Amino acid sequence: MNYYVTDNTAPSIPLADIPEVSYAAFYDDVAARLAEPRYHVAHYFALPDGGRLRFFLLLLDDAEGRVLVASHAMEYYDDMPLPSLTARHAQMHPFERDIAERYGVRFDAMPWEKPLRFPHDRFDRRSSMDNYPFYSIEGGSLHEVNVGPIHAGIIEPGAFRFICNGEQVLHLEIALGYQHRGVEEAFAATHNRLRQACLAEAVAGDSAVAHAEAFAEAIEKLSGRPRPAELDRERAVALELERMAMQIADTGALSMDVGYQLGQVASEALRTMTINTTQAWCGNRFGKGLVRPHGTDHPLTAEKAAMIRRNVAEIARRYDEVRRDIESSPTLLARFEQCGIVAENEMQRIGGVGQAARASGLARDIRTSHPWGVYARELHHEPVVMRQGDVMARLAVRSREVARSAAYIDRLVAEFEQKYAAGESPCAAPDYEAPLAPSSLSVGLVEGWRGEICHVAVTDAEGRIAAYRAKDPSLHNWLALALAVRGEGISDFPICNKSFNLSYCGHDL
Amino acid sequence: MIFPKIKVLLSHGRQAIPDLDAVELTEEFRGRPELTEPADSAEREALAAAAAICPTGAIATAPFALDLGRCLFCGECARRAPRSIRFTNDYRMGAPTREGLVVRPGDRCVKFDPADVRPEIRRYFGQALQLREVSAGGDASVEMELGATGNVNFDLGRFGIGFTASPRHADGVVVSGPVSANMAEALEICYEAVAEPKILVACGTDACSGGLFAESRAVDRSFFERHRVDLWLPGNPSHPMVFIDGIRTLLGKKTRG
């Protein structure tokens, strides 16, 4: 089958150049490729195109760093069901569910025909949050535990239904959509590119830098304008700072849930220090406003670079003490080890990505497989991989990534200090007016702290954004959490949950 | 093993901010803006450009005003019209009325008139206040900042103020997010479950106005038409100090112009 073959640094793709094939050919080829571990789906979505619906697939080839793009189409009122790819490869489920929910497309033999996020413009208006079709099991010894949408802590909403045999979880189903606020639609509803950049930051506030970077990547590929290497460096520093902050925050959250107060407060203080470093750079603790298309409003000065370097070294040193303490405390290891296991083949099957996938032995990391910017030129990142797939492995991936991020920041900032000691940054101010290639599709792929973030912008004949798709890694990994708790005591749910720390808003959009 | 723990403790030291009322944030922090009426046509043009690019339409030019309830604090307007708009690092931005969030030329603080606060709030909650947080379409950043108010640095618990799991144990509700239609009912149920007398806080620009999603059809803000908000807190997200200052001022523990 024909694909348009590109990578994560190539310019945008004219829509006319994307091969359109029959669904039968599409199905056969995608089903065959997904059987190989080197391939996984980054995105699969449908867009109305005149009187028909055109489907786009972005397939990532981890072995050769390629992005394969293909499409198929159907008449808008064609109600012939399509054979479901989810039936063959579970990793397709969120995409087919999304397409079915939005446009009423039917997938034949779809094994998990469930709403995904109840978007306001869903095809079936009778489907609502109140009648989500939860899976149930009959049996006198079983009971159900219903949690949410509002949870005990200060976190986002989502409905969790456990089916338990005594204390043991047999099945967990997670119903999401409470956070849906129409993000993707809002991108296409405005021509104000600053507003679009702010929307990208709002996809998931704890990954504001990563999502803003994916947006900037997509826009810059459409404008075709090169950017200075220093801008790439600054963005990598911001992205790694965000990664450090969140991996440390989750170390603290895991510590809290097992009553390890020392680790909790030490991690809280270190996270504060990390996000205050970001704030002292750009004025916002979450890095909102830091990443903008074509330039930056917050160029690193020599003083700021020195401040970041100093703080990061201190944070890394102290965090490593916390890590050592965790790894030498048998009471903590007893809770974290052998708990919430997701095996590698399972992770592979459901299309898991990012930090959680790496904890299960699946070396998926966009920084390595599809490097962009400074990751392609200077850093040559090797993924941090653990094999056990349990809570401890997910924590260990986090703690080792903190050390790795700190080392990258130190290196990038040091070069910066040597080169721009005088303080004149070569980075220009952002540009919100740069003309974009018309009738094109552009992909921004970034490895955020949770994993693979994929933004897709499609422009119309005038070069305006006509459709936008933003994928947070949580879209893949929520199912991994549901599988992790199977067979565990329900009292271990909190640590399993924190070990993933997935985004509700990033999923619900 | 005890030695690694001692090491962590020694490095950790003492983290709590001694006096929360004396906190000053970094110069870079974008807080309360100060406006100056444009003096000539060049400045008026610059201001018009700033108003045009504002991602949430927070700037009005005739008469000149900036609505903090809609502002994302991206700072773009201050770059386009630096002589008309300047962001200070003042985090004291909470107001008891929605109108109070509108900043006008010459304003040197966000006013907080105790007369706008229901008198029972200070009588009932002055000594202790437990709140239930509800995220309704928030992007998790406001939620994390609210979580941070109780952490080892800010330690808001020292004043008897904190967050509780059950609305039955709460004296009020803090809402974050623009209120997605899919969360509207759950928010209403949670609010009803809190016993009277109770307070309502809108935290973050999304909650105050809908923010980027004010026009979205996936949002249902009728909750705010039915219930009176006692404290409006701007920010994207609201810094923990915005929340701490706002709550302390609401309870009469701090005063402001």
Side-chain angles (χ1 to χ4, degrees):
Chain A
M1 188 178 101
N2 261 341
Y3 289 94
Y4 185 97
V5 179
T6 179
D7 63 33
N8 197 18
T9 53
S12 61
I13 311 159
L15 284 173
D17 291 358
I18 299 173
E20 193 175 304
V21 297
S22 73
Y23 187 73
F26 176 85
Y27 176 91
D28 288 340
D29 192 84
V30 174
R33 281 184 200 262
L34 289 182
E36 292 179 55
R38 65 190 279 186
Y39 292 107
H40 73 275
V41 174
H43 220 313
Y44 176 47
F45 58 93
L47 293 179
D49 172 22
R52 43 179 226 153
L53 208 52
R54 193 168 174 198
F55 299 66
F56 294 90
L57 175 85
L58 305 176
L59 192 63
L60 299 191
D61 173 2
D62 286 352
E64 290 177 42
R66 298 184 302 167
V67 180
L68 309 182
V69 188
S71 77
H72 64 89
M74 68 191 282
E75 293 305 310
Y76 199 72
Y77 292 104
D78 187 356
D79 60 356
M80 277 288 287
L82 305 172
S84 167
L85 274 164
T86 308
R88 299 272 295 276
H89 299 288
Q91 63 170 289
M92 293 298 287
H93 85 97
F95 304 116
E96 287 191 345
R97 286 165 66 191
D98 172 51
I99 292 166
E101 188 174 38
R102 279 193 219 225
Y103 302 111
V105 174
R106 288 183 297 142
F107 289 96
D108 201 23
M110 165 76 179
W112 202 241
E113 227 172 2
K114 303 245 186 181
L116 186 70
R117 58 171 75 97
F118 300 96
H120 67 92
D121 53 352
R122 57 192 177 270
F123 185 80
D124 181 2
R125 293 295 307 176
R126 289 163 306 171
S127 154
S128 89
M129 296 306 312
D130 304 328
N131 59 18
Y132 181 89
F134 279 106
Y135 184 73
S136 67
I137 308 177
E138 298 288 318
S141 62
L142 304 180
H143 69 280
E144 289 186 351
V145 179
N146 201 10
V147 181
I150 302 176
H151 300 262
I154 310 177
I155 58 165
E156 300 173 76
F160 293 51
R161 176 124 356 147
F162 299 87
I163 300 174
C164 297
N165 182 10
E167 292 292 295
Q168 194 187 35
V169 178
L170 289 185
H171 177 80
L172 163 63
E173 186 164 359
I174 302 164
L176 299 174
Y178 294 94
Q179 294 284 71
H180 173 69
R181 61 232 126 103
V183 176
E184 291 181 335
E185 190 186 60
F187 274 97
T190 180
H191 302 315
N192 181 340
R193 210 167 290 158
L194 172 62
R195 181 173 158 85
Q196 290 166 336
C198 293
L199 279 165
E201 289 173 337
V203 170
D206 55 22
S207 305
V209 171
H211 277 285
E213 200 163 326
F215 169 75
E217 280 280 323
I219 292 299
E220 286 159 5
K221 285 172 184 174
L222 280 165
S223 77
R225 198 193 296 170
R227 53 178 187 245
E230 287 70 19
L231 189 59
D232 282 338
R233 272 200 204 117
E234 291 193 19
R235 285 182 186 174
V237 171
L239 188 65
E240 298 301 331
L241 268 174
E242 179 174 86
R243 193 183 319 278
M244 281 183 75
M246 287 309 298
Q247 309 297 35
I248 293 172
D250 287 340
T251 307
L254 275 167
S255 303
M256 178 176 73
D257 279 3
V258 293
Y260 168 48
Q261 211 194 6
L262 180 63
Q264 180 199 336
V265 296
S267 299
E268 276 175 0
L270 292 173
R271 170 182 178 256
T272 303
M273 210 170 149
T274 317
I275 61 179
N276 281 354
T277 302
T278 305
Q279 180 178 250
W281 177 6
C282 73
N284 186 293
R285 305 219 297 172
F286 291 76
K288 288 185 177 181
L290 189 45
V291 179
R292 293 285 185 253
H294 301 296
T296 176
D297 290 316
H298 304 280
L300 267 183
T301 59
E303 297 83 57
K304 282 182 178 176
M307 177 271 299
I308 291 172
R309 213 171 155 207
R310 212 169 40 239
N311 289 359
V312 164
E314 167 82 358
I315 294 160
R317 181 186 69 76
R318 279 164 56 180
Y319 179 75
D320 197 56
E321 292 174 355
V322 177
R323 178 191 66 76
R324 277 166 194 273
D325 188 32
I326 291 173
E327 291 177 2
S328 61
S329 297
T331 47
L332 298 177
L333 298 177
R335 290 293 310 274
F336 294 150
E337 287 182 340
Q338 301 291 311
C339 177
I341 295 174
V342 184
E344 182 180 350
N345 60 346
E346 197 75 328
M347 204 45 114
Q348 163 84 40
R349 197 173 67 84
I350 64 170
V353 295
Q355 169 260 140
R358 294 195 285 277
S360 293
L362 202 58
R364 278 184 186 155
D365 192 324
I366 295 296
R367 288 175 290 175
T368 306
S369 63
H370 296 77
W372 76 101
V374 90
Y375 300 98
R377 284 193 305 270
E378 291 177 40
L379 292 180
H380 308 294
H381 174 74
E382 282 299 319
V384 176
V385 181
M386 296 281 155
R387 301 261 156 231
Q388 300 82 347
D390 55 7
V391 171
M392 188 62 211
R394 287 188 284 276
L395 177 56
V397 169
R398 290 182 191 285
S399 56
R400 276 146 191 79
E401 290 203 343
V402 169
R404 199 73 73 84
S405 297
Y408 290 155
I409 293 170
D410 186 70
R411 186 170 145 192
L412 293 169
V413 166
E415 279 176 47
F416 201 93
E417 278 181 282
Q418 285 158 12
K419 244 172 132 180
Y420 303 107
E424 80 282 9
S425 164
C427 301
D431 184 349
Y432 303 110
E433 309 291 335
L436 307 183
S439 305
S440 298
L441 180 148
S442 179
V443 185
L445 268 175
V446 166
E447 185 76 15
W449 63 270
R450 266 194 198 94
E452 169 190 313
I453 286 170
C454 175
H455 283 216
V456 186
V458 177
T459 55
D460 63 14
E462 273 83 50
R464 295 175 306 215
I465 290 181
Y468 202 82
R469 290 288 183 268
K471 185 201 71 178
D472 190 84
S474 307
L475 187 73
H476 302 280
N477 286 3
W478 275 110
L479 186 55
L481 169 61
L483 296 176
V485 297
R486 281 192 183 175
E488 297 296 347
I490 193 167
S491 53
D492 275 334
F493 172 71
I495 57 170
C496 291
N497 188 25
K498 297 272 168 62
S499 73
F500 286 92
N501 187 13
L502 300 173
S503 172
Y504 300 76
C505 54
H507 175 281
D508 294 346
L509 299 174
Chain B
M1 295 268 285
I2 194 71
F3 290 113
K5 292 188 203 307
I6 292 172
K7 239 179 161 176
V8 172
L9 258 180
L10 283 177
S11 293
H12 181 69
R14 213 187 136 77
Q15 293 289 334
I17 299 165
D19 183 0
L20 280 176
D21 294 340
V23 169
E24 288 301 325
L25 298 180
T26 164
E27 287 285 308
E28 293 290 326
F29 176 74
R30 285 182 298 282
R32 179 182 58 83
E34 290 189 345
L35 312 187
T36 311
E37 201 70 62
D40 53 45
S41 64
E43 281 181 36
R44 269 190 294 277
E45 240 167 71
L47 181 58
I53 198 166
C54 176
T56 49
I59 302 168
T61 48
F64 182 25
L66 200 163
D67 181 358
L68 294 184
R70 295 166 84 172
C71 179
L72 297 178
F73 297 86
C74 68
E76 187 63 21
C77 54
R79 287 184 281 272
R80 305 253 165 165
R83 293 168 71 184
S84 304
I85 303 173
R86 185 179 72 88
F87 282 87
T88 71
N89 64 347
D90 181 10
Y91 57 80
R92 298 162 190 89
M93 292 188 285
T97 61
R98 179 67 181 81
E99 171 58 23
L101 293 183
V102 179
V103 175
R104 295 193 168 76
D107 287 353
R108 288 296 171 262
C109 72
V110 173
K111 291 196 182 53
F112 202 113
D113 185 351
D116 290 327
V117 180
R118 288 185 286 139
E120 63 265 33
I121 290 181
R122 293 176 179 192
R123 201 162 63 236
Y124 286 116
F125 306 127
Q127 302 307 310
L129 178 66
Q130 291 298 310
L131 296 162
R132 173 63 248 196
E133 205 278 338
V134 180
S135 167
D139 74 359
S141 56
V142 173
E143 292 78 359
M144 289 188 82
E145 292 295 53
L146 288 172
T149 60
N151 77 8
V152 63
N153 304 98
F154 295 101
D155 186 25
L156 185 55
R158 72 180 88 174
F159 299 120
I161 303 168
F163 289 89
T164 184
S166 170
R168 297 291 192 203
H169 300 161
D171 306 311
V173 169
V174 180
V175 181
S176 57
V179 189
S180 49
N182 291 347
M183 251 323 264
E185 190 190 356
L187 171 62
E188 190 72 40
I189 292 170
C190 180
Y191 183 75
E192 292 302 329
V194 178
E196 294 280 1
K198 56 187 166 189
I199 69 165
L200 179 58
V201 179
C203 190
T205 291
D206 279 356
C208 289
S209 67
L212 285 164
F213 306 102
E215 316 296 324
S216 171
R217 288 189 295 142
V219 158
D220 174 1
R221 293 182 55 78
S222 59
F223 176 84
F224 289 116
E225 288 156 23
R226 287 191 296 277
H227 307 292
R228 175 187 159 154
V229 174
D230 296 297
L231 181 62
W232 300 89
L233 299 170
N236 177 36
S238 308
H239 192 284
M241 285 313 301
V242 174
F243 180 81
I244 292 168
D245 169 77
I247 287 283
R248 300 255 305 143
T249 313
L250 180 75
L251 296 178
K253 307 295 178 189
K254 280 177 88 171
T255 53
R256 195 197 303 157

